DNA sequence: AACACGGGGAG
DNA sequence: CTCCCAGTGTT
């Protein structure tokens, strides 16, 4: 088999000694300082799966109450598979990246048909499970020797080995994955090793303010010894939010407003909200501008009211609390109910 | 490879 | 303001 030597890091004796030191130091640190988390120590597929999906692009502290409520309501794959999409999204309300919740349920249906995956390769077939999540579950639940490379691991390893290749490219990512898989991961508790690297990234090897002085790896960390740790990792892409000023139309009827489920192809698909349009409709009065910053869109909702009758379902402020509604739409709706009653008609 | 996809924490 | 968080799917 041909190997791509360009993507391999050195694997001499010195590197192996460094790897041994890494494992010893970080395991000791992890045993003493790891946070207590609701899913920490669990070794069955379902709760680990749910926790990993919830934690994608979301800080652990934010996830905890969502995870606990989710597990009380939908404690196993079967209950998730048979839940309504509305119920699933309501449990996810406020967490963001709502596609994760819908894919989680699709995954439950997939597992209902195909059985629970038990290997990294099988897990990749489940909707919503990518290389990180497959590695995390396979190593934590099934002791498979596979890396779980998230943002924390990219940062910790790029600093530890002084890897200046951009980590948000195929090559850069591969270098990190190869180092973890070929050099770092061992037979003993691969899941704990993966988790310990992530935990170190979250608590010590932080993006802006790393706590190098108390880091268990400072003796071998090339970024700490030879460079400026905060120069790493290198990231090549940087996308800036574009300004977006659509109209949010409140169709009112008495004390109720019209809401609809957002279409699949749109932002916030599956959630409920008022209609969002690019062009200003006829016969509406502008009420207020509500700003909401998405990652990719700095949004200025121009909230308008209309007394026309819309072909949608109408809800009172009490009734809409039962629906899954995004934080963005809650701001818009809240602006209407707090200001909209004052004035004309 | 580049982009879409939410919301919030922290400097 | 900025960056980034236990990433994945689509184009």
């Amino acid at each position: 088999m041909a190997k791509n030597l360009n993507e391999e890091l050195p694997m001499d004796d010195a590197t192996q000694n460094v790897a041994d030191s890494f494992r010893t130091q970080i395991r000791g640190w992890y045993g003493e300082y790891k946070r207590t988390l609701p899913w920490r120590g669990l070794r069955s597929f379902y709760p680990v799966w749910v926790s990993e999906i919830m934690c994608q692009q979301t800080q652990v502290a934010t996830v905890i109450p969502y995870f606990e409520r989710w597990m009380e309501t939908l404690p196993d794959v079967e209950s998730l598979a048979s839940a309504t999409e509305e119920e699933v999204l309501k449990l996810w309300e406020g967490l963001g990246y709502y596609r994760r919740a819908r894919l989680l349920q699709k995954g439950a249906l997939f597992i209902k048909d195909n059985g629970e995956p038990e290997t990294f390769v099988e897990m990749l077939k489940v909707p919503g499970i990518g290389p990180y999540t497959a590695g995390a579950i396979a190593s934590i639940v099934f002791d498979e020797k596979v890396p779980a490379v998230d943002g924390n691991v990219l940062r910790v390893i790029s600093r530890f080995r002084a890897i200046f290749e951009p980590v948000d490219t195929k090559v850069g990512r591969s270098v990190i994955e190869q180092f973890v898989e070929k050099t770092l991961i061992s037979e003993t508790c691969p899941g704990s090793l993966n988790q310990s690297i992530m935990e170190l990234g979250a608590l010590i090897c932080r993006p802006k303010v790393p706590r190098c002085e108390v880091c268990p790896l400072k003796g071998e960390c090339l970024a700490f010894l030879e460079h400026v740790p905060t120069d790493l990792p290198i990231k090549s892409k940087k996308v800036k939010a574009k300004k977006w000023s659509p109209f949010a139309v409140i169709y009112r009827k008495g004390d109720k407003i019209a809401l609809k489920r957002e279409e699949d192809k749109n932002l916030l698909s599956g959630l409920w909200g008022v209609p969002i349009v690019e062009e200003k409709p006829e016969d509406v009065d502008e009420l207020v501008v509500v700003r909401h910053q998405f990652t990719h869109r700095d949004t200025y909702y121009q909230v308008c009211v209309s007394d026309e009758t819309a072909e949608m379902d109408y809800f009172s402020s009490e009734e809409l609390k039962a629906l899954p509604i995004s934080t963005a739409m809650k701001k818009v709706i809240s602006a209407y109910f707090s200001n909209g009653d004052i004035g004309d008609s």
Side-chain angles (χ1 to χ4, degrees):
Chain A
M1 293 295 289
K3 283 189 179 178
N4 188 345
L5 296 175
N6 292 330
E7 300 182 13
E8 302 267 347
L9 267 54
M11 275 225 297
D12 48 24
D13 288 349
T15 307
Q16 286 301 338
N17 289 337
V18 167
D20 288 338
S21 173
F22 183 105
R23 283 191 290 267
T24 303
Q25 296 300 322
I26 202 167
R27 285 211 162 106
W29 174 85
Y30 184 65
E32 187 167 0
Y33 295 107
K34 67 184 173 191
R35 292 169 290 186
T36 300
L37 303 174
W39 54 86
R40 185 86 83 199
L42 301 181
R43 306 267 310 200
S44 53
F45 177 84
Y46 181 72
V48 174
W49 177 37
V50 172
S51 71
E52 292 299 343
I53 300 296
M54 281 189 173
C55 283
Q56 291 173 5
Q57 297 295 286
T58 308
Q59 293 188 352
V60 163
T62 305
V63 167
I64 292 173
Y66 283 88
F67 176 81
E68 293 182 324
R69 188 178 58 171
W70 182 286
M71 293 305 295
E72 289 168 9
T73 314
L74 304 171
D76 47 42
V77 174
E78 293 72 29
S79 56
L80 173 56
S82 57
T84 65
E85 187 179 282
E86 294 260 323
E87 183 180 9
V88 167
L89 286 172
K90 189 67 187 174
L91 284 167
W92 208 269
E93 185 180 70
L95 252 193
Y97 284 164
Y98 297 94
R99 183 174 54 180
R100 291 181 293 171
R102 304 173 82 182
L103 287 173
L104 202 46
Q105 190 178 31
K106 279 186 67 179
L109 293 168
F110 178 91
I111 288 168
K112 203 177 162 188
D113 292 337
N114 300 278
E116 272 188 10
E118 296 183 359
T119 67
F120 175 82
V121 172
E122 286 174 17
M123 286 175 204
L124 285 177
K125 299 174 185 167
V126 179
I129 297 187
Y132 161 73
T133 305
I137 303 174
S139 64
I140 294 170
V141 179
F142 298 101
D143 286 321
E144 193 171 340
K145 273 178 40 178
V146 287
V149 178
D150 71 335
N152 289 307
V153 177
L154 290 177
R155 186 171 57 256
V156 171
I157 302 302
S158 68
R159 286 176 178 170
F160 185 71
R161 295 272 74 191
I163 297 167
F164 282 81
E165 190 76 26
V167 295
D168 54 355
T169 62
K170 200 170 195 174
V171 172
R173 187 181 187 81
S174 176
V175 172
I176 311 278
E177 284 176 347
Q178 292 295 310
F179 180 72
V180 176
E181 177 161 10
K182 308 291 187 191
T183 308
L184 239 38
I185 286 263
S186 65
E187 305 292 344
T188 31
C189 306
S192 293
L193 181 69
N194 281 331
Q195 292 183 80
S196 68
I197 304 173
M198 294 189 273
E199 193 76 343
L200 189 81
L203 300 182
I204 303 293
C205 196
R206 302 182 296 189
K208 299 292 189 63
V209 191
R211 303 171 62 198
C212 297
E213 297 304 329
V214 294
C215 180
L217 306 178
K218 65 179 178 184
E220 307 279 0
C221 177
L222 296 182
F224 177 69
L225 295 172
E226 303 177 8
H227 303 280
V228 180
T230 49
D231 286 350
L232 291 169
I234 305 290
K235 303 210 172 179
S236 57
K237 330 172 182 172
K238 48 191 102 175
V239 289
K240 53 195 168 196
K242 296 185 65 178
K243 187 178 175 181
W244 185 43
S245 301
F247 296 89
V249 190
I250 310 279
Y251 292 97
R252 61 183 172 191
K253 185 185 288 179
D255 64 343
K256 299 189 175 185
I257 65 172
L259 298 177
K260 70 184 186 78
R261 231 188 312 245
E262 200 57 66
E263 295 169 35
D264 276 2
K265 64 188 179 80
N266 292 341
L267 185 65
L268 303 173
S269 63
L271 299 184
W272 290 75
V274 303
I276 305 299
V277 295
E278 301 290 338
E279 301 295 324
K280 185 175 181 179
E282 307 279 339
D283 303 318
V284 300
D285 293 323
E286 266 192 65
L287 181 64
V288 66
V289 174
V290 170
R291 186 180 186 193
H292 182 80
Q293 301 188 61
F294 297 100
T295 302
H296 292 279
R297 302 187 201 180
D298 189 5
T299 307
Y300 295 80
Y301 288 114
Q302 303 171 76
V303 182
C304 303
V305 294
S306 173
D307 291 311
E308 303 293 312
T309 297
E311 296 292 326
M312 287 182 279
D313 298 318
Y314 282 78
F315 300 89
S316 70
S317 57
E318 279 303 311
E319 290 165 341
L320 61 81
K321 289 178 183 170
L323 302 173
I325 300 177
S326 67
T327 302
M329 281 301 104
K330 281 185 177 178
K331 286 188 193 174
V332 168
I333 293 167
S334 166
Y336 167 71
F337 279 117
S338 58
N339 302 321
D341 308 294
I342 309 165
D344 61 80
S345 299

